[in-house]
Amino acid sequence: MLILTLYMAKTVKPYNSSNLSKKKQVEKMFDNISHKYDFLNHVLSFGIDHIWRRKTIRLMQSINPKVILDVATGTGDLAFAAEKKIDIDKIIGLDISNGMLEVGRKKIKNRDLENKLEFIQGDSENIPFEDNYFDAVMVSFGVRNFENLNLGLSEIKRVLKPQGAIYVLEFSKPKLFPIKQLFGLYSKFILPFLGSLISKDRSAYHYLPESVAAFPEGDQFIGELEKVGFSNHSYQILTGGIATLYSSFK
């Protein structure tokens, strides 16, 4: 139990030599790699990320949300996927990195979706919307970057309408042979090398596997949701445990 407590308390930051808070470091990291993020995201995941996002959207379709918040939207991939498949009124994308948002805003303009999508810079731990505002909140590969996970989840619950739902798509650690061994090799050596080479930010793609290793996954993450008052939880393991899709209700 002591080992687990110490493990859970570990805070992983992108730039170990920096005195900036994790929040500021994450903002800087994504600003640095925003120009190459979409390319790297799809190539380094071998395109499997598209499949994961489609599964997230299919799960969300069951509640037919009209107003959706996409926390840690990045360049907006999940928001654009949701707009295609769900009859929404509005999707708000929130992210701490303006560099990532600028890439996403260009996509909105190019696809003529200004009446459906809006991307704003903001903090997941201080969401700039009133209580009970959204039908659903989604987060893809972003909760492990929260500086304070409990506060971020509490804010998400606050802005959800009663019976609203949160959908979280996040990396996890495979447990089965040989996926565990292959993923470990890929994430520790190949992904940091290629990511650093292409993005020119060495720290960003070393931070990724470290942040995945430190994240409370599976039942532990369900426990974090329960702490802030979510209920009716479920999760499904994707691609042999490389990612996990969670859902929970207010």
Side-chain angles (χ1 to χ4, degrees):
M1 182 62 70
L2 177 59
I3 293 174
L4 176 62
T5 303
L6 291 173
Y7 172 78
M8 292 289 292
K10 181 181 179 183
T11 299
V12 177
K13 299 179 181 180
Y15 305 105
N16 292 326
S17 61
S18 173
N19 292 323
L20 293 174
S21 67
K22 177 177 179 176
K23 192 178 300 182
K24 286 296 183 182
Q25 289 189 34
V26 167
E27 179 182 0
K28 176 183 177 182
M29 177 187 73
F30 282 113
D31 282 346
N32 287 346
I33 66 174
S34 59
H35 63 298
K36 293 289 187 179
Y37 179 80
D38 282 345
F39 173 78
L40 282 166
N41 205 28
H42 304 321
V43 170
L44 295 178
S45 71
F46 304 102
I48 299 173
D49 60 310
H50 292 294
I51 298 173
W52 296 337
R53 288 186 180 88
R54 285 198 293 269
K55 287 182 179 291
T56 305
I57 300 307
R58 280 200 297 270
L59 186 61
M60 195 183 312
Q61 283 176 309
S62 64
I63 68 167
N64 192 31
K66 294 297 182 182
V67 184
I68 301 172
L69 176 65
D70 184 20
V71 173
T73 192
T75 62
D77 276 352
L78 188 59
F80 290 113
E83 188 278 328
K84 284 183 179 180
K85 296 295 183 180
I86 301 175
D87 182 23
I88 55 99
D89 292 333
K90 190 78 172 183
I91 298 178
I92 303 292
L94 179 77
D95 202 281
I96 200 169
S97 166
N98 196 55
M100 297 285 278
L101 292 170
E102 281 301 306
V103 176
R105 288 171 184 139
K106 289 177 183 177
K107 294 182 191 178
I108 292 176
K109 185 175 181 180
N110 291 340
R111 301 176 193 188
D112 195 25
L113 290 172
E114 289 94 340
N115 63 325
K116 292 283 188 178
L117 273 67
E118 180 184 0
F119 291 165
I120 63 174
Q121 187 173 20
D123 184 356
S124 62
E125 298 168 17
N126 186 23
I127 298 174
F129 289 93
E130 63 192 52
D131 296 358
N132 309 314
Y133 191 89
F134 295 97
D135 299 304
V137 176
M138 53 189 187
V139 194
S140 61
F141 310 113
V143 289
R144 73 181 190 284
N145 296 323
F146 289 3
E147 186 169 59
N148 185 320
L149 180 59
N150 183 272
L151 182 55
L153 294 177
S154 296
E155 273 291 275
I156 288 172
K157 181 174 177 286
R158 178 184 65 78
V159 299
L160 272 172
K161 293 178 181 177
Q163 287 78 54
I166 178 176
Y167 300 89
V168 174
L169 176 61
E170 189 53 86
F171 287 116
S172 47
K173 300 176 283 295
K175 308 296 189 297
L176 300 176
F177 177 87
I179 298 175
K180 176 181 178 180
Q181 288 72 21
L182 291 172
F183 182 74
L185 178 67
Y186 178 73
S187 63
K188 187 174 182 179
F189 298 105
I190 300 173
L191 186 147
F193 172 75
L194 292 177
S196 301
L197 183 68
I198 298 171
S199 72
K200 308 303 181 185
D201 188 316
R202 183 178 182 277
S203 296
Y205 288 88
H206 284 80
Y207 165 75
L208 173 59
E210 292 173 359
S211 64
V212 172
F215 184 72
E217 64 182 80
D219 291 335
Q220 290 181 333
F221 183 64
I222 295 298
E224 296 299 318
L225 290 167
E226 289 179 342
K227 284 180 185 177
V228 302
F230 282 103
S231 60
N232 193 16
H233 322 288
S234 68
Y235 68 89
Q236 51 183 295
I237 296 170
L238 308 177
T239 318
I242 295 174
T244 302
L245 173 58
Y246 306 85
S247 66
S248 194
F249 289 78
K250 181 171 178 178

